[in-house]
Amino acid sequence: MKVFDMHCDTISEIHEDRKKGGDACLRSNGLHVDLEKMKKGDYGLQNFAVYVHLGREKNPFLCAMEMIDTFYEEMERNREIIRPVTSCEEIRRNLEEGRMSAMLTVEEGGVCLGDVRLLRDFYRLGVRMMTLTWNFPNELGYPNRVVTEGPGRGCYPDTEHGLTERGVEFLEEMERLGIIIDISHLNDAGIRDVFAHTKKPFVASHSNARALASHPRNLTDDMIRGLGERGGVAGINYCAAFLHDWKDGEEKRSRLSHMTAHMKHMKEVGGIGCVGLGSDFDGIVDELELRDASGLELLEAEMRRQGFTSSEIEAVFYGNVMRVYREIL
């Protein structure tokens, strides 16, 4: 069963290791994702995110450019196994010729510094998906996490701060160019603005259902329903924090049964067409039942045990994502 995964942080991890003098590479490593594991997992396509931490990086644009260079270095070294793609025709050709595909994405719209010209430059470099925010406010909008001080400290949905005027301008240009809008990490008010100011499908590349796990990074039922109606896709995130509301003392472990429970809920609310995969591999520190990219047959088997049909599994594993890509790219 071919796997199309909308989000991992592997390139960022490789880049950080090299900055510290390491020799991490994409061919084989100790991370969740490498080419050997992907082949075992029957991957067709992996989205590789350029993840930039605005709280640490003084020059987020330069940081993103350095990671993109790392991405293309790895693509060139492994071109017989995997090649970068910017269109569905390239994905189809790679599948026919027995290669995997790699799509370059950005996880932090702040790397554009609020300048739409830089957005166009990222497009020219092959970026085909971008989150508007990560966990910090930027020129485009606000993250869906508010951490307060004192006794009430915690994570809460931000329903007040919508997209900025520049954020709306970016939506229009992303739709014009063919960069897939990614609402993962965006706050509730900003997601409402995305629905209001766009016409094409968009995605939540690595987000789950808030009805089952109350973390504000997850999607409400209204969001899931709207995403389904728009023809978009939410990628199931394998991170334990987004799969279950854990009690004190409870073993915090990402389980296949939790993942399929979110799939079932999304199917009931938004239809099977809105469900995909967005592992968040190499951005997860929790213990995983689905240990790495080599083990996707475990998820397929669990879905079958939970009553998903073969056509539904194919839709979740690759069909729904390919449909969105076909419409936008």
Side-chain angles (χ1 to χ4, degrees):
M1 183 74 68
K2 288 298 176 187
V3 175
F4 282 29
D5 184 344
M6 286 197 290
H7 185 85
C8 77
D9 290 303
T10 309
I11 289 296
S12 300
E13 289 294 305
I14 290 173
H15 180 73
E16 288 301 313
D17 179 78
R18 290 184 182 174
K19 284 172 61 177
K20 298 172 183 175
D23 58 358
C25 66
L26 189 59
R27 178 71 65 101
S28 179
N29 57 52
L31 301 170
H32 292 135
V33 175
D34 63 32
L35 297 182
E36 293 179 359
K37 298 184 186 82
M38 289 170 66
K39 285 193 284 187
K40 290 179 181 177
D42 197 21
Y43 275 60
L45 177 143
Q46 176 66 61
N47 285 10
F48 288 98
V50 172
Y51 154 66
V52 177
H53 192 297
L54 292 187
R56 291 197 299 254
E57 299 296 336
K58 294 181 179 179
N59 190 332
F61 173 74
L62 178 60
C63 179
M65 294 294 288
E66 290 173 347
M67 286 190 203
I68 289 174
D69 184 67
T70 298
F71 171 80
Y72 279 112
E73 279 191 324
E74 289 301 314
M75 291 299 105
E76 185 60 30
R77 287 172 180 159
N78 297 286
R79 65 188 318 271
E80 76 280 8
I81 300 172
I82 189 168
R83 291 188 187 175
V85 294
T86 59
S87 71
C88 287
E89 174 59 26
E90 290 170 337
I91 297 171
R92 183 194 62 76
R93 187 183 312 125
N94 282 339
L95 288 170
E96 288 181 351
E97 296 177 359
R99 287 187 299 269
M100 294 181 286
S101 295
M103 183 177 292
L104 184 62
T105 73
V106 168
E107 187 179 25
E108 175 51 86
V111 302
C112 296
L113 310 179
D115 190 335
V116 74
R117 295 172 300 180
L118 296 186
L119 174 70
R120 289 193 284 266
D121 284 338
F122 280 117
Y123 177 84
R124 294 175 184 120
L125 288 171
V127 171
R128 290 298 182 269
M129 181 184 293
M130 185 175 79
T131 66
L132 300 175
T133 64
W134 186 61
N135 286 348
F136 298 93
N138 62 27
E139 298 86 354
L140 311 181
Y142 301 83
N144 204 356
R145 184 169 72 170
V146 178
V147 181
T148 62
E149 299 296 330
R153 183 178 181 184
C155 299
Y156 306 99
D158 178 1
T159 60
E160 299 176 6
H161 302 96
L163 295 179
T164 65
E165 290 184 11
R166 187 57 53 85
V168 174
E169 179 185 352
F170 265 62
L171 292 181
E172 295 170 353
E173 187 66 0
M174 289 171 75
E175 285 204 319
R176 187 188 74 81
L177 289 169
I179 298 178
I180 299 163
I181 297 163
D182 184 355
I183 61 172
S184 285
H185 287 284
L186 187 62
N187 68 342
D188 287 18
I191 291 174
R192 288 201 303 267
D193 285 343
V194 173
F195 276 107
H197 293 282
T198 60
K199 298 178 181 178
K200 297 179 181 180
F202 51 87
V203 305
S205 66
H206 55 304
S207 297
N208 296 336
R210 202 179 298 178
L212 301 188
S214 61
H215 197 293
R217 266 279 285 107
N218 286 338
L219 304 174
T220 67
D221 282 1
D222 284 345
M223 294 172 190
I224 294 168
R225 189 174 298 109
L227 196 65
E229 292 171 353
R230 182 64 68 89
V233 177
I236 295 295
N237 189 319
Y238 305 175
C239 179
F242 309 134
L243 288 170
H244 185 68
D245 285 333
W246 302 93
K247 299 177 182 177
D248 291 342
E250 192 174 5
E251 181 190 14
K252 194 174 182 181
R253 186 168 188 248
S254 170
R255 300 184 184 279
L256 293 164
S257 59
H258 292 144
M259 294 163 62
T260 54
H262 281 265
M263 292 178 184
K264 282 185 174 181
H265 182 81
M266 288 183 178
K267 172 187 170 183
E268 292 172 359
V269 174
I272 194 66
C274 77
V275 188
L277 301 178
S279 66
D280 209 5
F281 272 151
D282 293 318
I284 304 173
V285 296
D286 304 318
E287 185 179 351
L288 300 167
E289 185 176 4
L290 203 168
R291 59 195 180 279
D292 57 42
S294 69
L296 269 294
E297 79 282 353
L298 298 175
L299 180 58
E300 179 183 352
E302 180 66 19
M303 291 180 71
R304 292 190 187 281
R305 279 194 292 270
Q306 296 295 334
F308 287 90
T309 66
S310 293
S311 62
E312 289 174 331
I313 296 171
E314 289 175 359
V316 171
F317 267 52
Y318 66 88
N320 293 335
V321 171
M322 190 62 172
R323 185 196 72 244
V324 172
Y325 289 3
R326 189 177 295 113
E327 182 164 350
I328 298 176
L329 299 183

